[in-house]
Amino acid sequence: MNDDMIDLAAGDIRLRRRLEAYADDRLTPDLTATSRLRARVLAHAHRRADLTRADAALSIVPATASRSAIERGLRGRRRAAFTLVAAAILVGAMVGGAAASSSPGGALYEGRLWIENVSLPSEPSARAVAELSRLGDRLREADAAARDGDEGAAAAALAAYERIMTEASIAVVHAGDAVAAAALETGLGRNVEVLEALAGRVPSRAADAIDAAVARAIAKSTGAIDSVGSVERPTPVRGSGSHGTAGGDQGGNGSGSNGGHGGVGTGSSTNGPEATPKPTKAPPEHPEGSGKPTATDRPDATRKPTKTPKPNAEAPGVPQGDGQD
Amino acid sequence: MTLDDTAVERLVQEARSGDAWAFGLLFDHYHLPVYRYIASRVHRPSDAEDLTQLVFVKALEALPRYEARGIPFGGWLFRLARNTVIDHVRTRHDHVDLESASQQPGVDAGPDEVTVARQELDDVAAALAALTDEQRDAIALRFFAGLSAREAAQVMGKQEGTIRGLQFRAIAALRRQLRIDEPDTDRGQDAASDGRVGR
C-alpha cells in the first residue's frame, strides 16, 4: 500500500463528512467555553509577564532606587527617629558593644529592625524592593546563625523575617500596586528556595529548632505569596498596530472557534467553527492586501515589552518530562 | 486566524520574553486544534476544557526552555497535549463515555432529523472508540487537529510511514464500523486533500 492509495482512502468523502460533522458537533468548544478558556490562559500569561518585568526590576532597582529612597528617608522627616536610635546605639555600646547587641537575638536587634522600618520609602514599588532587601538580610543572618548552630539567633532572624514579610505583603495589598506586588511575589518565591536550601544546611546539633522555624517561615511565605498574588494586575495597553490591538488581551472578546480574536481584528472570525485550522502552515489564500490581518505585519517598535535577558543554558529544546515521550 | 511558520516563531520568541499579547495570539492560533485533539481523547467537554487550559499553561511555563531544534512550536505544543492526555487517562482511568458524548445538543432541525443526526454522531463516536489507542491518536491528530502525517509523526514519536499505516487501518475500521462500503463517486477530487477534515 503506497501513500497515494492511503490518501485516496483517506479522501473518502462520506467518511470525511461524518468525521467533520462529529468534530464540529462534539469536539468544538462553544463560545462561552472558548472565552472562559482564553481568559484563564491569558490571565496566567499576564501574571507571568508581570513576574518577568519584576525580575528585571529586581536586578536593576535595588542598586539605585531603593538606596536613594532609603537615603532620602533618612534625611527627611524621620530624622527624629534616627536620633533616637543613635541614642539607643550609644546605650548598646555602653552595655557591651553595639555590634554584638544588634545581631539577631541581641538587645539592640529589635532597635535595628525598627530603624530599618521607619526609613522605608513610601512609594509602593520602591518600598517592596527595600523590604525584599531587608528580608534578604534576615535570611543571611539566619543562615549565619544556623551555620554557627546558634538556635536563638536563627530563630530571632527568622521571626523577624516573618514579621517583615507579613508587613510587606499587607502594605502591598493595601497599596494595590501591581508592580510592587509582582516584585514582592517574585522575591518571596526566591526566598522560599533559599529557606529550603537553608533547611538542608542546618547542623544536626541545632536541627530541630531551626528546621521548625524554617518550616514556619516557608509556610508563611506561601500564604504571603498567595495574598500578594491576589492583587489585581492591569491589562497592559497595547500599541497602535494597524490591525487594532485594542482588546487583544481581553478574554471576553471570544469569537467562536477562533477564541476571542480581539487582538487581531475581525477578519479571522469569518473562518467559523466549520474550518479545522492547520496549525503550522499558512494557507495560500491570504495574500497580502487581502484584508486579512496577520501577526507578521505587527509593528514591533510600538509595543515591545521590557525584555528580561534570561540565561538559557538549561534549555533542552522540549519541555522536561512533558513534551517528550 | 492565520499565521505562517515565521510569524509563529516570532511570536514564540516574544512570548518567551514575557509578552502576554504574543502568547494570546499563539493561543488563538492553536486552541481549537488542541481542544479538538484533547476532546477526541477524553470525551468529556469539561475535561477537555481543563486539559486544554493545562496544556497552554504548561506551554507558558516551559516556553523559556523551548528551542525549535527541528520540532516546530506546533509539534512541541501537541506533544505537550498528548502527554497531558496520557497522564490524564492514566491517572483518572478515563475511558470512552458514549452516554456523556451523546448528551450534546443537536443541530437546528426537526425532531426526526435531530434523532438521525444524533444517531450518526453516536455511531462515529462508537466507531472511534473501537479503534486502538494509537489508531485513535493518529486519527485525532490528522483529522481533528489537522496535522500533516509528518507533524503527527513528530508528535507521536514515530516514522511518517507508521502514521500513514495507522491512519489507513483506522480508516478501514471506521468505514467498516460505519458501513461506508462503497467508494464515493467524488472521491478522486478529495484525494488531493490529503485526508484532512475541514480544509
Side-chain angles (χ1 to χ4, degrees):
Chain A
M1 178 67 58
N2 61 34
D3 287 352
D4 288 340
M5 290 173 73
I6 292 170
D7 285 340
L8 190 66
D12 185 307
I13 191 145
R14 282 182 295 176
L15 177 60
R16 207 155 61 97
R17 279 183 186 149
R18 292 189 70 172
L19 288 174
E20 201 169 283
Y22 177 77
D24 286 344
D25 193 81
R26 303 283 169 89
L27 307 180
T28 302
D30 60 24
L31 181 59
T32 310
T34 300
S35 300
R36 192 168 49 228
L37 191 54
R38 191 178 198 279
R40 285 183 195 150
V41 170
L42 266 288
H44 198 91
H46 281 303
R47 190 179 169 87
R48 183 156 188 90
D50 284 339
L51 292 176
T52 305
R53 275 194 290 276
D55 263 351
L58 282 175
S59 61
I60 296 168
V61 172
T64 54
S66 69
R67 188 175 300 166
S68 62
I70 290 171
E71 285 168 357
R72 265 201 314 277
L74 285 172
R75 285 196 303 269
R77 56 195 154 87
R78 286 165 181 155
R79 207 164 276 174
F82 191 66
T83 308
L84 185 63
V85 172
I89 291 173
L90 183 62
V91 172
M94 291 171 65
V95 270
S101 297
S102 64
S103 59
L108 292 183
Y109 187 58
E110 289 300 321
R112 182 149 71 88
L113 297 180
W114 183 79
I115 191 174
E116 286 178 2
N117 193 38
V118 296
S119 60
L120 286 170
S122 55
E123 197 277 319
S125 51
R127 185 186 179 99
V129 172
E131 294 276 34
L132 284 171
S133 172
R134 295 179 71 202
L135 290 169
D137 290 343
R138 301 294 87 76
L139 289 179
R140 279 188 284 280
E141 289 166 357
D143 188 37
R147 284 177 196 276
D148 294 341
D150 186 346
E151 294 176 32
L158 289 170
Y161 178 90
E162 288 176 31
R163 205 164 57 239
I164 294 168
M165 178 175 60
T166 305
E167 289 167 2
S169 42
I170 288 172
V172 160
V173 170
H174 183 69
D177 185 284
V179 173
L184 192 61
E185 189 178 0
T186 307
L188 291 180
R190 285 178 181 168
N191 287 353
V192 168
E193 292 174 16
V194 174
L195 284 165
E196 286 167 350
L198 172 61
R201 287 199 302 268
V202 177
S204 57
R205 64 184 184 278
D208 290 345
I210 296 177
D211 274 350
V214 169
R216 197 171 55 241
I218 290 173
K220 285 208 169 186
S221 296
T222 309
I225 288 170
D226 287 344
S227 159
V228 170
S230 68
V231 173
E232 192 172 342
R233 313 291 161 86
T235 301
V237 176
R238 288 295 173 187
S240 54
S242 59
H243 45 275
T245 55
D249 298 321
Q250 304 300 322
N253 291 346
S255 56
S257 63
N258 294 307
H261 294 166
V264 291
T266 55
S268 58
S269 65
T270 57
N271 289 342
E274 304 80 38
T276 302
K278 183 181 178 183
T280 56
K281 289 191 175 57
E285 64 268 20
H286 302 308
E288 287 180 13
S290 66
K292 288 241 175 190
T294 69
T296 52
D297 57 355
R298 186 156 60 94
D300 281 330
T302 56
R303 47 159 303 281
K304 282 275 183 189
T306 306
K307 302 285 183 191
T308 306
K310 277 197 170 182
N312 199 27
E314 80 284 10
V318 291
Q320 300 283 351
D322 289 322
Q324 291 177 328
D325 291 321
Chain B
M1 171 174 194
T2 303
L3 294 175
D4 59 23
D5 290 350
T6 310
V8 166
E9 287 305 322
R10 194 170 129 204
L11 288 173
V12 167
Q13 292 306 319
E14 291 178 8
R16 284 178 64 167
S17 312
D19 187 337
W21 186 83
F23 194 77
L25 286 183
L26 290 171
F27 173 86
D28 291 340
H29 187 54
Y30 286 108
H31 83 275
L32 182 59
V34 167
Y35 180 93
R36 282 187 163 185
Y37 167 70
I38 291 174
S40 72
R41 301 305 316 274
V42 300
H43 304 287
R44 289 191 200 95
S46 58
D47 284 349
E49 188 179 329
D50 288 346
L51 291 179
T52 303
Q53 179 185 336
L54 183 59
V55 167
F56 279 98
V57 169
K58 276 184 177 180
L60 190 63
E61 297 297 332
L63 213 47
R65 300 193 299 274
Y66 164 74
E67 282 181 5
R69 287 188 189 168
I71 300 177
F73 178 75
W76 180 80
L77 188 65
F78 273 96
R79 273 197 185 188
L80 272 181
R82 183 168 182 264
N83 289 335
T84 303
V85 167
I86 289 171
D87 286 346
H88 173 80
V89 171
R90 190 163 48 216
T91 55
R92 306 275 178 89
H93 306 289
D94 189 81
H95 55 273
V96 179
D97 183 356
L98 289 179
E99 285 190 13
S100 70
S102 63
Q103 295 305 310
Q104 303 276 337
V107 294
D108 188 13
D112 290 345
E113 288 165 307
V114 168
T115 305
V116 170
R118 268 195 187 160
Q119 185 58 51
E120 286 192 348
L121 295 175
D122 289 346
D123 290 346
V124 173
L128 287 168
L131 299 177
T132 66
D133 273 349
E134 285 194 329
Q135 287 173 353
R136 201 159 49 238
D137 226 7
I139 290 291
L141 289 169
R142 293 279 280 119
F143 284 78
F144 301 141
L147 301 190
S148 67
R150 181 159 177 250
E151 290 163 342
Q154 286 174 337
V155 173
M156 292 179 69
K158 295 184 181 298
Q159 296 294 317
E160 192 175 334
T162 308
I163 299 301
R164 287 183 182 276
L166 283 169
Q167 178 189 322
F168 175 75
R169 285 189 292 278
I171 286 170
L174 288 174
R175 291 182 63 189
R176 212 166 34 245
Q177 285 268 333
L178 297 171
R179 296 183 185 81
I180 305 175
D181 299 324
E182 295 177 6
D184 198 272
T185 51
D186 50 351
R187 179 198 285 177
Q189 295 171 4
D190 296 296
S193 69
D194 196 23
R196 296 179 187 211
V197 173
R199 302 258 110 225

